[in-house]
Short mmCIF file of all heavy atoms in Angstrom, two decimals:
data_model
loop_
_atom_site.label_atom_id
_atom_site.label_comp_id
_atom_site.label_asym_id
_atom_site.label_seq_id
_atom_site.Cartn_x
_atom_site.Cartn_y
_atom_site.Cartn_z
N MET A 750 0.86 -1.23 0.00
CA MET A 750 0.01 -0.04 0.01
C MET A 750 0.87 1.23 0.00
O MET A 750 1.85 1.31 0.72
CB MET A 750 -0.89 0.01 1.24
CG MET A 750 -2.26 -0.58 0.95
SD MET A 750 -3.48 -0.09 2.14
CE MET A 750 -2.88 -0.90 3.63
N PRO A 751 0.51 2.21 -0.80
CA PRO A 751 1.32 3.42 -0.85
C PRO A 751 1.00 4.33 0.32
O PRO A 751 -0.05 4.29 0.90
CB PRO A 751 0.89 4.08 -2.15
CG PRO A 751 -0.53 3.60 -2.38
CD PRO A 751 -0.62 2.26 -1.68
N ILE A 752 2.00 5.21 0.64
CA ILE A 752 1.75 6.20 1.71
C ILE A 752 1.42 7.52 1.06
O ILE A 752 2.07 7.95 0.11
CB ILE A 752 2.99 6.30 2.65
CG1 ILE A 752 2.66 7.13 3.88
CG2 ILE A 752 4.19 6.89 1.91
CD1 ILE A 752 3.64 6.96 5.01
N TYR A 753 0.35 8.13 1.57
CA TYR A 753 -0.09 9.41 1.00
C TYR A 753 -0.11 10.47 2.09
O TYR A 753 -0.14 10.15 3.27
CB TYR A 753 -1.50 9.27 0.44
CG TYR A 753 -1.56 8.48 -0.84
CD1 TYR A 753 -2.33 7.33 -0.92
CD2 TYR A 753 -0.86 8.91 -1.95
CE1 TYR A 753 -2.42 6.62 -2.11
CE2 TYR A 753 -0.92 8.19 -3.14
CZ TYR A 753 -1.71 7.04 -3.22
OH TYR A 753 -1.77 6.33 -4.37
N GLU A 754 -0.12 11.72 1.63
CA GLU A 754 -0.25 12.82 2.57
C GLU A 754 -1.58 13.52 2.36
O GLU A 754 -2.01 13.71 1.22
CB GLU A 754 0.93 13.81 2.37
CG GLU A 754 2.22 13.28 2.87
CD GLU A 754 3.36 14.31 2.73
OE1 GLU A 754 3.21 15.29 2.04
OE2 GLU A 754 4.43 14.03 3.29
N PHE A 755 -2.19 13.88 3.50
CA PHE A 755 -3.49 14.54 3.44
C PHE A 755 -3.39 15.84 4.18
O PHE A 755 -2.77 15.91 5.24
CB PHE A 755 -4.53 13.64 4.06
CG PHE A 755 -4.71 12.30 3.36
CD1 PHE A 755 -3.89 11.25 3.70
CD2 PHE A 755 -5.63 12.16 2.35
CE1 PHE A 755 -4.03 10.02 3.02
CE2 PHE A 755 -5.76 10.95 1.69
CZ PHE A 755 -4.97 9.89 2.02
N GLU A 756 -4.01 16.86 3.63
CA GLU A 756 -3.95 18.17 4.29
C GLU A 756 -5.34 18.64 4.59
O GLU A 756 -6.18 18.83 3.68
CB GLU A 756 -3.24 19.18 3.44
CG GLU A 756 -2.98 20.48 4.14
CD GLU A 756 -2.13 21.42 3.32
OE1 GLU A 756 -1.83 21.14 2.15
OE2 GLU A 756 -1.75 22.49 3.85
N CYS A 757 -5.64 18.90 5.85
CA CYS A 757 -6.96 19.38 6.26
C CYS A 757 -7.03 20.89 6.06
O CYS A 757 -6.03 21.56 5.81
CB CYS A 757 -7.22 19.01 7.74
SG CYS A 757 -6.45 20.09 8.91
N PRO A 758 -8.24 21.48 6.16
CA PRO A 758 -8.40 22.94 5.95
C PRO A 758 -7.57 23.78 6.89
O PRO A 758 -7.27 24.93 6.62
CB PRO A 758 -9.90 23.15 6.20
CG PRO A 758 -10.54 21.85 5.95
CD PRO A 758 -9.53 20.80 6.38
N LYS A 759 -7.14 23.23 8.01
CA LYS A 759 -6.31 23.97 8.96
C LYS A 759 -4.84 23.92 8.59
O LYS A 759 -4.01 24.56 9.22
CB LYS A 759 -6.50 23.41 10.37
CG LYS A 759 -7.85 23.81 10.94
CD LYS A 759 -7.86 23.51 12.43
CE LYS A 759 -9.12 24.11 13.07
NZ LYS A 759 -9.10 23.90 14.54
N GLY A 760 -4.50 23.10 7.64
CA GLY A 760 -3.13 23.08 7.17
C GLY A 760 -2.28 21.96 7.81
O GLY A 760 -1.09 21.91 7.64
N THR A 761 -2.95 21.05 8.53
CA THR A 761 -2.24 19.98 9.15
C THR A 761 -2.06 18.82 8.14
O THR A 761 -3.04 18.38 7.57
CB THR A 761 -2.99 19.45 10.38
OG1 THR A 761 -3.18 20.51 11.28
CG2 THR A 761 -2.21 18.30 11.07
N VAL A 762 -0.82 18.41 7.93
CA VAL A 762 -0.54 17.36 6.99
C VAL A 762 -0.40 16.05 7.73
O VAL A 762 0.32 15.95 8.72
CB VAL A 762 0.74 17.67 6.19
CG1 VAL A 762 1.09 16.49 5.25
CG2 VAL A 762 0.59 18.94 5.37
N THR A 763 -1.14 15.06 7.29
CA THR A 763 -1.11 13.73 7.91
C THR A 763 -0.66 12.72 6.91
O THR A 763 -1.17 12.63 5.81
CB THR A 763 -2.50 13.36 8.42
OG1 THR A 763 -3.02 14.41 9.23
CG2 THR A 763 -2.47 12.07 9.20
N GLU A 764 0.37 11.97 7.27
CA GLU A 764 0.80 10.88 6.41
C GLU A 764 0.08 9.59 6.84
O GLU A 764 -0.02 9.31 8.03
CB GLU A 764 2.31 10.65 6.58
CG GLU A 764 3.15 11.71 5.88
CD GLU A 764 4.65 11.38 5.99
OE1 GLU A 764 5.00 10.43 6.71
OE2 GLU A 764 5.39 12.10 5.38
N ARG A 765 -0.42 8.87 5.86
CA ARG A 765 -1.16 7.67 6.21
C ARG A 765 -1.05 6.63 5.12
O ARG A 765 -1.05 6.97 3.95
CB ARG A 765 -2.62 8.01 6.50
CG ARG A 765 -3.41 6.81 7.00
CD ARG A 765 -4.71 7.24 7.56
NE ARG A 765 -4.57 8.01 8.80
CZ ARG A 765 -5.59 8.43 9.54
NH1 ARG A 765 -6.82 8.18 9.17
NH2 ARG A 765 -5.39 9.08 10.65
N TRP A 766 -0.98 5.37 5.50
CA TRP A 766 -1.04 4.28 4.56
C TRP A 766 -2.48 4.00 4.23
O TRP A 766 -3.24 3.66 5.12
CB TRP A 766 -0.39 3.03 5.14
CG TRP A 766 1.04 3.16 5.48
CD1 TRP A 766 1.57 3.74 6.61
CD2 TRP A 766 2.17 2.71 4.69
NE1 TRP A 766 2.94 3.66 6.54
CE2 TRP A 766 3.33 3.05 5.39
CE3 TRP A 766 2.25 2.07 3.45
CZ2 TRP A 766 4.59 2.76 4.89
CZ3 TRP A 766 3.52 1.79 2.97
CH2 TRP A 766 4.69 2.11 3.69
N VAL A 767 -2.87 4.20 3.01
CA VAL A 767 -4.25 3.98 2.62
C VAL A 767 -4.28 3.22 1.30
O VAL A 767 -3.29 3.11 0.61
CB VAL A 767 -5.01 5.29 2.45
CG1 VAL A 767 -5.22 6.02 3.79
CG2 VAL A 767 -4.28 6.22 1.48
N ALA A 768 -5.42 2.69 1.03
CA ALA A 768 -5.62 1.97 -0.22
C ALA A 768 -5.50 2.93 -1.40
O ALA A 768 -5.83 4.12 -1.29
CB ALA A 768 -6.98 1.29 -0.25
N MET A 769 -5.02 2.42 -2.49
CA MET A 769 -4.89 3.26 -3.73
C MET A 769 -6.26 3.78 -4.10
O MET A 769 -7.25 3.07 -4.10
CB MET A 769 -4.35 2.42 -4.87
CG MET A 769 -2.86 2.72 -5.11
SD MET A 769 -2.30 1.71 -6.49
CE MET A 769 -1.37 2.92 -7.40
N GLY A 770 -6.28 5.06 -4.50
CA GLY A 770 -7.55 5.65 -4.93
C GLY A 770 -8.30 6.35 -3.81
O GLY A 770 -9.35 6.92 -4.03
N THR A 771 -7.76 6.29 -2.59
CA THR A 771 -8.38 7.03 -1.49
C THR A 771 -8.23 8.53 -1.70
O THR A 771 -7.13 9.01 -1.87
CB THR A 771 -7.75 6.61 -0.13
OG1 THR A 771 -7.84 5.19 0.02
CG2 THR A 771 -8.39 7.31 1.01
N GLU A 772 -9.35 9.21 -1.73
CA GLU A 772 -9.31 10.63 -2.08
C GLU A 772 -9.13 11.52 -0.85
O GLU A 772 -8.53 12.58 -0.94
CB GLU A 772 -10.64 11.00 -2.75
CG GLU A 772 -10.81 10.36 -4.10
CD GLU A 772 -9.90 10.94 -5.17
OE1 GLU A 772 -9.89 12.15 -5.33
OE2 GLU A 772 -9.18 10.14 -5.84
N SER A 773 -9.66 11.08 0.27
CA SER A 773 -9.51 11.92 1.47
C SER A 773 -9.70 11.07 2.73
O SER A 773 -10.27 9.97 2.69
CB SER A 773 -10.56 13.07 1.43
OG SER A 773 -11.87 12.48 1.47
N ILE A 774 -9.22 11.63 3.86
CA ILE A 774 -9.45 10.98 5.15
C ILE A 774 -10.02 12.06 6.08
O ILE A 774 -10.05 13.21 5.74
CB ILE A 774 -8.11 10.45 5.76
CG1 ILE A 774 -7.10 11.57 5.91
CG2 ILE A 774 -7.55 9.33 4.85
CD1 ILE A 774 -5.88 11.20 6.74
N SER A 775 -10.40 11.63 7.29
CA SER A 775 -10.77 12.65 8.27
C SER A 775 -9.56 12.96 9.12
O SER A 775 -8.89 12.07 9.63
CB SER A 775 -11.93 12.14 9.14
OG SER A 775 -11.64 10.92 9.72
N CYS A 776 -9.28 14.26 9.26
CA CYS A 776 -8.05 14.68 9.95
C CYS A 776 -8.11 14.23 11.43
O CYS A 776 -9.10 14.42 12.09
CB CYS A 776 -7.97 16.20 9.86
SG CYS A 776 -6.52 16.86 10.74
N PRO A 777 -7.01 13.67 11.93
CA PRO A 777 -7.01 13.20 13.33
C PRO A 777 -7.02 14.36 14.34
O PRO A 777 -7.40 14.17 15.49
CB PRO A 777 -5.70 12.42 13.42
CG PRO A 777 -4.86 12.88 12.30
CD PRO A 777 -5.79 13.32 11.20
N CYS A 778 -6.62 15.54 13.91
CA CYS A 778 -6.58 16.66 14.88
C CYS A 778 -7.90 17.42 14.96
O CYS A 778 -8.29 17.84 16.02
CB CYS A 778 -5.41 17.60 14.57
SG CYS A 778 -5.58 18.61 13.15
N CYS A 779 -8.56 17.61 13.84
CA CYS A 779 -9.78 18.43 13.83
C CYS A 779 -10.98 17.67 13.28
O CYS A 779 -12.07 18.22 13.24
CB CYS A 779 -9.54 19.74 13.08
SG CYS A 779 -9.22 19.49 11.35
N GLN A 780 -10.79 16.44 12.87
CA GLN A 780 -11.86 15.56 12.38
C GLN A 780 -12.50 16.07 11.10
O GLN A 780 -13.56 15.59 10.67
CB GLN A 780 -12.96 15.36 13.45
CG GLN A 780 -12.45 15.06 14.84
CD GLN A 780 -11.53 13.84 14.88
OE1 GLN A 780 -11.77 12.85 14.27
NE2 GLN A 780 -10.46 13.96 15.64
N LYS A 781 -11.85 17.05 10.44
CA LYS A 781 -12.42 17.55 9.20
C LYS A 781 -11.88 16.76 8.02
O LYS A 781 -10.89 16.03 8.14
CB LYS A 781 -12.08 19.03 9.05
CG LYS A 781 -12.85 19.88 10.06
CD LYS A 781 -12.74 21.33 9.74
CE LYS A 781 -13.62 22.14 10.72
NZ LYS A 781 -13.42 23.57 10.55
N LYS A 782 -12.51 16.95 6.90
CA LYS A 782 -12.11 16.24 5.69
C LYS A 782 -10.74 16.75 5.18
O LYS A 782 -10.60 17.95 4.95
CB LYS A 782 -13.18 16.43 4.63
CG LYS A 782 -12.97 15.52 3.44
CD LYS A 782 -14.09 15.77 2.39
CE LYS A 782 -13.79 15.03 1.10
NZ LYS A 782 -14.75 15.38 0.05
N ALA A 783 -9.80 15.84 5.06
CA ALA A 783 -8.48 16.22 4.57
C ALA A 783 -8.23 15.55 3.24
O ALA A 783 -8.01 14.34 3.17
CB ALA A 783 -7.43 15.76 5.62
N PRO A 784 -8.25 16.35 2.17
CA PRO A 784 -8.02 15.81 0.84
C PRO A 784 -6.56 15.39 0.62
O PRO A 784 -5.66 15.91 1.28
CB PRO A 784 -8.41 16.92 -0.11
CG PRO A 784 -8.53 18.16 0.69
CD PRO A 784 -8.53 17.79 2.14
N LYS A 785 -6.38 14.48 -0.27
CA LYS A 785 -5.02 13.96 -0.54
C LYS A 785 -4.19 15.04 -1.25
O LYS A 785 -4.68 15.76 -2.13
CB LYS A 785 -5.16 12.75 -1.47
CG LYS A 785 -3.85 12.08 -1.78
CD LYS A 785 -4.03 10.75 -2.44
CE LYS A 785 -4.53 10.88 -3.84
NZ LYS A 785 -4.81 9.55 -4.46
N ILE A 786 -2.92 15.14 -0.89
CA ILE A 786 -2.01 16.03 -1.57
C ILE A 786 -0.87 15.18 -2.14
O ILE A 786 -0.63 14.05 -1.69
CB ILE A 786 -1.46 17.15 -0.66
CG1 ILE A 786 -0.70 16.54 0.52
CG2 ILE A 786 -2.56 18.07 -0.20
CD1 ILE A 786 -0.01 17.59 1.37
N ILE A 787 -0.19 15.73 -3.11
CA ILE A 787 0.94 14.97 -3.72
C ILE A 787 2.15 15.04 -2.79
O ILE A 787 2.63 16.10 -2.41
CB ILE A 787 1.32 15.57 -5.08
CG1 ILE A 787 0.11 15.52 -6.04
CG2 ILE A 787 2.51 14.80 -5.70
CD1 ILE A 787 -0.36 14.12 -6.33
N SER A 788 2.64 13.89 -2.42
CA SER A 788 3.81 13.83 -1.55
C SER A 788 5.07 13.97 -2.40
O SER A 788 5.45 13.06 -3.12
CB SER A 788 3.82 12.48 -0.80
OG SER A 788 5.02 12.37 -0.10
N ARG A 789 5.73 15.10 -2.24
CA ARG A 789 6.95 15.31 -3.02
C ARG A 789 8.11 14.46 -2.51
O ARG A 789 8.97 14.06 -3.24
CB ARG A 789 7.32 16.79 -2.96
CG ARG A 789 6.85 17.55 -4.16
CD ARG A 789 7.02 19.01 -3.96
NE ARG A 789 5.99 19.62 -3.14
CZ ARG A 789 6.14 20.66 -2.36
NH1 ARG A 789 7.30 21.26 -2.31
NH2 ARG A 789 5.13 21.12 -1.65
N PHE A 790 8.09 14.16 -1.22
CA PHE A 790 9.19 13.38 -0.64
C PHE A 790 9.29 12.01 -1.20
O PHE A 790 10.32 11.59 -1.65
CB PHE A 790 9.00 13.32 0.90
CG PHE A 790 9.46 14.56 1.60
CD1 PHE A 790 8.55 15.41 2.16
CD2 PHE A 790 10.83 14.82 1.70
CE1 PHE A 790 8.99 16.57 2.78
CE2 PHE A 790 11.28 15.97 2.35
CZ PHE A 790 10.35 16.83 2.90
N SER A 791 8.21 11.30 -1.21
CA SER A 791 8.25 9.91 -1.69
C SER A 791 8.56 9.85 -3.17
O SER A 791 9.23 8.94 -3.65
CB SER A 791 6.95 9.17 -1.35
OG SER A 791 5.85 9.86 -1.90
N PHE A 792 8.11 10.84 -3.93
CA PHE A 792 8.38 10.88 -5.36
C PHE A 792 9.86 11.09 -5.60
O PHE A 792 10.46 10.46 -6.42
CB PHE A 792 7.60 12.03 -6.02
CG PHE A 792 6.31 11.60 -6.61
CD1 PHE A 792 5.17 11.59 -5.88
CD2 PHE A 792 6.31 11.10 -7.94
CE1 PHE A 792 3.97 11.14 -6.44
CE2 PHE A 792 5.11 10.67 -8.48
CZ PHE A 792 3.94 10.70 -7.73
N GLU A 793 10.47 11.97 -4.86
CA GLU A 793 11.91 12.23 -5.05
C GLU A 793 12.75 11.07 -4.63
O GLU A 793 13.73 10.74 -5.27
CB GLU A 793 12.29 13.45 -4.18
CG GLU A 793 12.23 14.75 -4.98
CD GLU A 793 12.61 15.96 -4.16
OE1 GLU A 793 13.61 15.89 -3.43
OE2 GLU A 793 11.90 16.97 -4.22
N LEU A 794 12.38 10.40 -3.56
CA LEU A 794 13.12 9.24 -3.08
C LEU A 794 13.13 8.13 -4.12
O LEU A 794 14.15 7.58 -4.46
CB LEU A 794 12.56 8.73 -1.76
CG LEU A 794 12.98 9.56 -0.54
CD1 LEU A 794 12.23 9.04 0.69
CD2 LEU A 794 14.49 9.44 -0.28
N LYS A 795 11.95 7.81 -4.61
CA LYS A 795 11.82 6.75 -5.61
C LYS A 795 12.49 7.12 -6.91
O LYS A 795 13.31 6.37 -7.45
CB LYS A 795 10.34 6.46 -5.85
CG LYS A 795 9.74 5.48 -4.85
CD LYS A 795 8.32 5.18 -5.21
CE LYS A 795 7.59 4.56 -4.04
NZ LYS A 795 6.15 4.53 -4.26
N GLY A 796 12.18 8.30 -7.45
CA GLY A 796 12.69 8.70 -8.75
C GLY A 796 14.19 8.97 -8.68
O GLY A 796 14.95 8.51 -9.51
N GLY A 797 14.63 9.66 -7.63
CA GLY A 797 16.05 9.99 -7.49
C GLY A 797 16.93 8.76 -7.33
O GLY A 797 17.94 8.61 -8.00
N GLY A 798 16.47 7.84 -6.52
CA GLY A 798 17.27 6.62 -6.31
C GLY A 798 17.37 5.81 -7.57
O GLY A 798 18.43 5.32 -7.93
N TRP A 799 16.27 5.68 -8.26
CA TRP A 799 16.26 4.88 -9.47
C TRP A 799 17.10 5.54 -10.56
O TRP A 799 17.93 4.92 -11.25
CB TRP A 799 14.80 4.77 -9.97
CG TRP A 799 14.70 4.07 -11.27
CD1 TRP A 799 14.77 2.73 -11.51
CD2 TRP A 799 14.49 4.68 -12.53
NE1 TRP A 799 14.64 2.50 -12.85
CE2 TRP A 799 14.47 3.66 -13.51
CE3 TRP A 799 14.34 6.02 -12.95
CZ2 TRP A 799 14.29 3.94 -14.86
CZ3 TRP A 799 14.15 6.31 -14.30
CH2 TRP A 799 14.10 5.26 -15.22
N PHE A 800 16.99 6.83 -10.66
CA PHE A 800 17.69 7.55 -11.70
C PHE A 800 19.20 7.60 -11.40
O PHE A 800 20.02 7.36 -12.28
CB PHE A 800 17.14 8.98 -11.80
CG PHE A 800 17.62 9.74 -13.02
CD1 PHE A 800 16.96 9.53 -14.23
CD2 PHE A 800 18.68 10.59 -12.95
CE1 PHE A 800 17.40 10.22 -15.37
CE2 PHE A 800 19.11 11.29 -14.08
CZ PHE A 800 18.48 11.09 -15.27
N ALA A 801 19.54 7.90 -10.17
CA ALA A 801 20.96 7.98 -9.77
C ALA A 801 21.65 6.66 -9.97
O ALA A 801 22.82 6.60 -10.37
CB ALA A 801 21.05 8.43 -8.33
N ASP A 802 20.96 5.56 -9.67
CA ASP A 802 21.54 4.24 -9.80
C ASP A 802 21.87 3.92 -11.27
O ASP A 802 22.95 3.43 -11.58
CB ASP A 802 20.56 3.22 -9.23
CG ASP A 802 21.26 1.87 -9.07
OD1 ASP A 802 22.38 1.82 -8.56
OD2 ASP A 802 20.66 0.86 -9.49
N GLY A 803 20.92 4.22 -12.14
CA GLY A 803 21.14 3.95 -13.54
C GLY A 803 22.22 4.85 -14.12
O GLY A 803 23.04 4.46 -14.94
N TYR A 804 22.26 6.07 -13.66
CA TYR A 804 23.23 7.04 -14.15
C TYR A 804 24.65 6.65 -13.70
O TYR A 804 25.60 6.69 -14.50
CB TYR A 804 22.85 8.43 -13.59
CG TYR A 804 23.33 9.55 -14.46
CD1 TYR A 804 22.71 9.86 -15.66
CD2 TYR A 804 24.45 10.35 -14.06
CE1 TYR A 804 23.13 10.88 -16.45
CE2 TYR A 804 24.88 11.39 -14.86
CZ TYR A 804 24.21 11.64 -16.06
OH TYR A 804 24.66 12.71 -16.82
N ALA A 805 24.76 6.29 -12.42
CA ALA A 805 26.09 5.99 -11.87
C ALA A 805 26.70 4.74 -12.48
O ALA A 805 27.90 4.64 -12.69
CB ALA A 805 25.95 5.81 -10.36
N SER A 806 25.86 3.75 -12.83
CA SER A 806 26.41 2.50 -13.36
C SER A 806 26.90 2.69 -14.81
O SER A 806 27.76 1.94 -15.27
CB SER A 806 25.37 1.39 -13.29
OG SER A 806 24.25 1.73 -14.07
N ARG A 807 26.42 3.70 -15.46
CA ARG A 807 26.86 3.93 -16.86
C ARG A 807 28.12 4.74 -16.92
O ARG A 807 28.98 4.52 -17.73
CB ARG A 807 25.76 4.68 -17.62
CG ARG A 807 24.73 3.77 -18.18
CD ARG A 807 23.77 4.53 -19.08
NE ARG A 807 22.53 3.79 -19.27
CZ ARG A 807 21.55 4.23 -20.03
NH1 ARG A 807 21.63 5.41 -20.60
NH2 ARG A 807 20.44 3.51 -20.19
N ARG A 808 28.20 5.73 -16.02
CA ARG A 808 29.27 6.72 -16.12
C ARG A 808 30.69 6.18 -15.95
O ARG A 808 31.55 6.48 -16.77
CB ARG A 808 29.01 7.80 -15.07
CG ARG A 808 29.00 9.20 -15.76
CD ARG A 808 28.38 10.19 -14.78
NE ARG A 808 29.22 11.39 -14.70
CZ ARG A 808 28.97 12.38 -13.85
NH1 ARG A 808 27.94 12.29 -13.06
NH2 ARG A 808 29.71 13.46 -13.84
N PRO A 809 30.96 5.36 -14.94
CA PRO A 809 32.35 4.93 -14.73
C PRO A 809 32.92 4.09 -15.88
O PRO A 809 34.08 4.23 -16.23
CB PRO A 809 32.25 4.05 -13.46
CG PRO A 809 31.00 4.43 -12.79
CD PRO A 809 30.07 4.85 -13.91
N SER A 810 32.09 3.25 -16.48
CA SER A 810 32.58 2.42 -17.56
C SER A 810 33.02 3.22 -18.78
O SER A 810 34.03 2.93 -19.40
CB SER A 810 31.51 1.40 -17.96
OG SER A 810 30.38 2.07 -18.52
N GLY A 811 32.26 4.32 -19.04
CA GLY A 811 32.65 5.14 -20.16
C GLY A 811 33.90 5.96 -19.87
O GLY A 811 34.76 6.08 -20.71
N LYS A 812 34.06 6.37 -18.63
CA LYS A 812 35.16 7.22 -18.26
C LYS A 812 36.48 6.42 -18.24
O LYS A 812 37.53 6.86 -18.65
CB LYS A 812 34.91 7.83 -16.87
CG LYS A 812 35.47 9.22 -16.78
CD LYS A 812 35.12 9.86 -15.44
CE LYS A 812 35.63 11.30 -15.39
NZ LYS A 812 35.36 11.91 -14.11
N SER A 813 36.41 5.18 -17.69
CA SER A 813 37.64 4.41 -17.56
C SER A 813 38.20 4.02 -18.92
O SER A 813 39.41 3.98 -19.15
CB SER A 813 37.34 3.12 -16.71
OG SER A 813 36.44 2.32 -17.38
N SER A 814 37.30 3.71 -19.89
CA SER A 814 37.76 3.33 -21.20
C SER A 814 38.35 4.53 -21.94
O SER A 814 39.26 4.42 -22.78
CB SER A 814 36.63 2.68 -22.02
OG SER A 814 35.64 3.68 -22.29
N ASP A 815 37.87 5.70 -21.57
CA ASP A 815 38.33 6.91 -22.19
C ASP A 815 39.72 7.35 -21.73
O ASP A 815 40.55 7.78 -22.48
CB ASP A 815 37.32 8.05 -21.91
CG ASP A 815 37.66 9.31 -22.70
OD1 ASP A 815 37.84 9.17 -23.93
OD2 ASP A 815 37.77 10.37 -22.12
N SER A 816 39.98 7.09 -20.41
CA SER A 816 41.25 7.50 -19.86
C SER A 816 42.41 6.58 -20.33
O SER A 816 43.55 6.95 -20.33
CB SER A 816 41.16 7.49 -18.34
OG SER A 816 40.95 6.20 -17.86
N ARG A 817 42.04 5.36 -20.67
CA ARG A 817 43.14 4.40 -21.07
C ARG A 817 43.60 4.63 -22.48
O ARG A 817 43.07 4.50 -23.43
CB ARG A 817 42.64 2.99 -20.90
CG ARG A 817 42.84 2.51 -19.47
CD ARG A 817 43.10 1.03 -19.40
NE ARG A 817 43.64 0.70 -18.07
CZ ARG A 817 44.11 -0.49 -17.80
NH1 ARG A 817 44.18 -1.43 -18.68
NH2 ARG A 817 44.54 -0.73 -16.60
ZN1 LIG B 165 -6.91 19.11 11.04
#
């Protein structure tokens, strides 16, 4: 299950593991409806790690053959 962030009208952000497609939860602090927001953190971790790994594995091989 993915982790999503929800922000209530008061601005409190709650991270919660919910089923995919969950649009909103009730905020634990004020019990109001907190719609889902895009979590930038989890996107950067997944995309950055995947991208950096692919990039790093290509670069050294090209550089070493060039220096010789
Ligand atoms: Zn709240």
Side-chain angles (χ1 to χ4, degrees):
M750 266 200 293
I752 190 163
Y753 286 122
E754 288 183 347
F755 299 87
E756 187 173 9
C757 80
K759 288 193 171 184
T761 303
V762 176
T763 307
E764 285 184 354
R765 186 167 291 185
W766 297 81
V767 291
M769 257 181 134
T771 303
E772 294 287 308
S773 63
I774 60 168
S775 54
C776 179
C778 72
C779 64
Q780 315 305 318
K781 289 191 176 174
K782 190 180 172 186
K785 183 169 73 184
I786 60 174
I787 302 296
S788 172
R789 263 171 280 151
F790 278 108
S791 56
F792 263 91
E793 265 180 46
L794 281 174
K795 275 184 196 168
W799 174 79
F800 192 82
D802 191 47
Y804 206 75
S806 61
R807 274 188 199 181
R808 233 166 132 185
S810 64
K812 214 175 184 184
S813 64
S814 68
D815 188 51
S816 64
R817 274 213 166 188

